[in-house]
Amino acid sequence: MLSPDSRVLLTDALQPPVGYAIDSVVTTTYSLDLTALLLAPLSFAARTRSEDVDDADPIALLESIRRYVGSMTVFAQAGGLKVPSKYRTVLSFAENSVVEVRAPQPGRLFHPKIWLLRFVCDDAGGYLHRFLCSSRNLTFDASWDTLLVLDEDPDTDEAVDPAPIAEFVAALPDLATTPMTGTRAAAVRDLAHTVRSARFACPAPFASMTLHPLGLTDGAALPVPEAADRALVISPFFDPATSRRFAAIAPDSRIVSRAETFDRTGSDAFTGAQTFTLQAVADRPGDDEAVAEPGTEVGGVPSGLHAKTFVFDTAKEAVLITGSANATSAALGGNVEFSAALRGPSAKCGVDAVWESGKGTTGLARIVEPYTITAAAPDVDADALARVEKDMADFRALLSAAAPQLHFVLNGGSAQCTLRVPEEIVGAFDGEVAVSPVSLTGEYRPLATEVTWSGVAAANVTAFIGVRTRRDGVELFGVVKAALHGDVVGRDRLILRSHIGSAQDLTRCLLFLLGGEVPGDGEVLGLDRGSTGDRDPGRGAVDDTVLFEPLVRAVVGDRAALERVDALLRDLDAPTDLVDDDLRALLDAVRLAHTAVAGGDK
């Protein structure tokens, strides 16, 4: 149930089951933190448990991204990308995985937060699927969210109908602001095809579950009853119309939201309902943060309540709806959203079961407190500020849909970059607009049909363009993705060489690709060969014999690892002082052994 002490980490939910590996992944989000994006490949690698990119081993981060970027597609609201607090050049390898999309209905948002993962068995080759339905964006926001995890269970008696998942995922490529590559779009649709036969089990103590994508087809709606005995509505955002609707559903209606949402909406909209906020101690991620930061439906919630869950009791049955949809007219009337509706007995699944503490759990009532709304009418100033923020978000979406292009020319280790946008976009926002590659600091320049930056380090050439908008005293930043035109392969090689610049780096990387843990530098330091062929104790290079055993194991047990090794060396195009004759001879011998073993399997 929704006990506040039942914690699930997204990074844990992305871990493959024992004996399986990631095969294909689709995720959707409204806002996307580019640094948070890097954590997903680390989780897929399974051997890495870091929840902080800064704590991750650089080699593991680099090769996890390179390994899984082709299998993972992230659909995000156009213009909803966030400027990273620190730019990392490995983001270049993740560029193709990010697809900006827009809702079909004008003025509405792409707002779902789902993950669909397909795992392949290491031995038998069969598939297993996992589906996550969440209220959480792919960001580092310190907010209270919900996460529903459905694992495929071939033996379940009452399988959840996966057709809504399949249809939703299959429709995503058509929402892209610019056409996806044929290969990536085909991979997304293939995942949608295979999930149709998946058998997901409904989690106990619920008896049944239905899945509800919104905003893609006419008439799609959440199963919110007209009337109920009891209602519990948890949402960080409301508007007057939906507030009145939810407050009037039941004679016992409890609404949990954020203080600024209640104040902005006004008490008249919640007549007849009890209103609550999270207690101060629960609304903060840590003791050093005094108050929860304000948020909006467009801008998001940096901290505090962000869960969206509606519970209704009617007689002895309860329905619990959870997912991405806020209790707002936009969410329930045009936004692209995804929620799940779970049904079960009221005694185990209803309002009181969530509200009161059960055996070994903490009920929601223990972490909320009554909130008195002082103003009766909506806050006009807050609405005006929200409209400015919405205008800025709409402009970023418009800029993304205009297919901006970043042309670059490499000259050794530096580049000249020119951003090109259609003329009609330049004056489309009633305010100031400045742009800069997110890799640069202090280089924002007024938007024009062509904006040029010279002397950019080649490793800092990026498709991600920061957009700064100013109007009426409000300044906001966001990111759009541009199409790269230039020597992308050359840029990627320079970035790769910047991360693998020594024999120690290369050996650690190869060991990771071959399925082992990433050893520390001290664990792979050996002796270099002198002119006589003997080991020279003074030069501190790597003894490539540490690779022999992992390579032999890979010949029989993990041939894909050998392909990853070949891909790395091909992309790196390493000079001879990095990949010496001994290592090349060892790899040639392994390839011959691999061919012999593969031939014996035929």
Side-chain angles (χ1 to χ4, degrees), residues 117-174:
L117 304 100
R118 186 172 70 197
F119 307 106
V120 62
C121 182
D122 292 339
D123 298 324
Y127 290 144
L128 278 180
H129 297 80
R130 178 179 295 159
F131 178 70
L132 312 181
C133 182
S134 178
S135 66
R136 186 170 189 81
N137 290 304
L138 189 49
T139 66
F140 289 114
D141 293 343
S143 51
W144 284 82
D145 282 284
T146 57
L147 176 62
L148 173 66
V149 181
L150 299 180
D151 273 312
E152 189 172 355
D153 180 1
D155 299 324
T156 185
D157 294 328
E158 297 292 336
V160 177
D161 182 9
I165 303 173
E167 292 162 7
F168 181 79
V169 171
L172 292 174
D174 293 334

Side-chain angles (χ1 to χ4, degrees), residues 107-256:
R108 296 309 191 194
L109 301 175
F110 181 84
H111 198 253
K113 300 96 167 56
I114 68 159
W115 291 78
L116 178 59
L117 304 100
R118 186 172 70 197
F119 307 106
V120 62
C121 182
D122 292 339
D123 298 324
Y127 290 144
L128 278 180
H129 297 80
R130 178 179 295 159
F131 178 70
L132 312 181
C133 182
S134 178
S135 66
R136 186 170 189 81
N137 290 304
L138 189 49
T139 66
F140 289 114
D141 293 343
S143 51
W144 284 82
D145 282 284
T146 57
L147 176 62
L148 173 66
V149 181
L150 299 180
D151 273 312
E152 189 172 355
D153 180 1
D155 299 324
T156 185
D157 294 328
E158 297 292 336
V160 177
D161 182 9
I165 303 173
E167 292 162 7
F168 181 79
V169 171
L172 292 174
D174 293 334
L175 303 182
T177 56
T178 56
M180 297 175 61
T181 64
T183 301
R184 188 170 290 275
V188 171
R189 293 192 171 103
D190 180 66
L191 179 56
H193 172 73
T194 61
V195 78
R196 285 186 178 275
S197 59
R199 293 181 61 81
F200 294 112
C202 179
F206 297 97
S208 64
M209 178 170 60
T210 52
L211 300 168
H212 299 272
L214 305 178
L216 296 182
T217 58
D218 294 336
L222 296 180
V224 177
E226 293 295 326
D229 299 327
R230 285 178 298 277
L232 170 61
V233 181
I234 305 170
S235 176
F237 303 110
F238 286 86
D239 55 37
T242 54
S243 301
R244 294 187 181 94
R245 175 187 176 189
F246 281 103
I249 286 178
D252 178 3
S253 290
R254 308 167 203 177
I255 295 180
V256 181

Side-chain angles (χ1 to χ4, degrees), residues 18 35 48 50 55 131 177 187 213 244 247 257 333 355 386 401 413 444 464 479 484 504:
V18 175
T35 305
T48 58
S50 175
D55 292 340
F131 178 70
T177 56
R244 294 187 181 94
S257 190
W355 193 258
Y444 277 90
F464 298 118
V479 176
L484 284 183
Q504 288 91 342

Side-chain angles (χ1 to χ4, degrees), residues 483-561:
L484 284 183
H485 293 265
D487 185 5
V488 177
V489 172
R491 178 207 63 168
D492 290 351
R493 179 170 294 123
L494 288 171
I495 294 173
L496 195 57
R497 287 183 177 180
S498 72
H499 287 271
I500 304 176
S502 69
Q504 288 91 342
D505 292 338
L506 178 59
T507 302
R508 295 175 70 243
C509 192
L510 293 175
L511 288 171
F512 181 73
L513 293 178
L514 292 168
E517 300 289 343
V518 182
D521 287 338
E523 298 176 64
V524 295
L525 287 176
L527 302 174
D528 197 11
R529 295 186 186 276
S531 58
T532 63
D534 297 327
R535 290 291 169 179
D536 182 346
R539 296 176 59 186
V542 175
D543 184 350
D544 50 8
T545 58
V546 301
L547 296 170
F548 180 76
E549 185 176 345
L551 282 168
V552 171
R553 287 199 304 266
V555 167
V556 178
D558 188 3
R559 297 173 193 174

Side-chain angles (χ1 to χ4, degrees), residues 228-318:
D229 299 327
R230 285 178 298 277
L232 170 61
V233 181
I234 305 170
S235 176
F237 303 110
F238 286 86
D239 55 37
T242 54
S243 301
R244 294 187 181 94
R245 175 187 176 189
F246 281 103
I249 286 178
D252 178 3
S253 290
R254 308 167 203 177
I255 295 180
V256 181
S257 190
R258 300 167 63 86
E260 61 263 30
T261 295
F262 283 134
D263 293 338
R264 174 183 167 185
T265 310
S267 61
D268 287 350
F270 297 96
T271 301
Q274 304 173 66
T275 52
F276 300 85
T277 59
L278 291 181
Q279 294 178 8
V281 67
D283 205 22
R284 298 198 303 267
D287 294 336
D288 57 342
E289 190 168 328
V291 294
E293 298 177 62
T296 67
E297 190 170 10
V298 172
V301 176
S303 64
L305 181 72
H306 192 241
K308 309 101 166 50
T309 300
F310 318 144
V311 189
F312 306 101
D313 293 355
T314 303
K316 294 184 178 181
E317 184 182 68

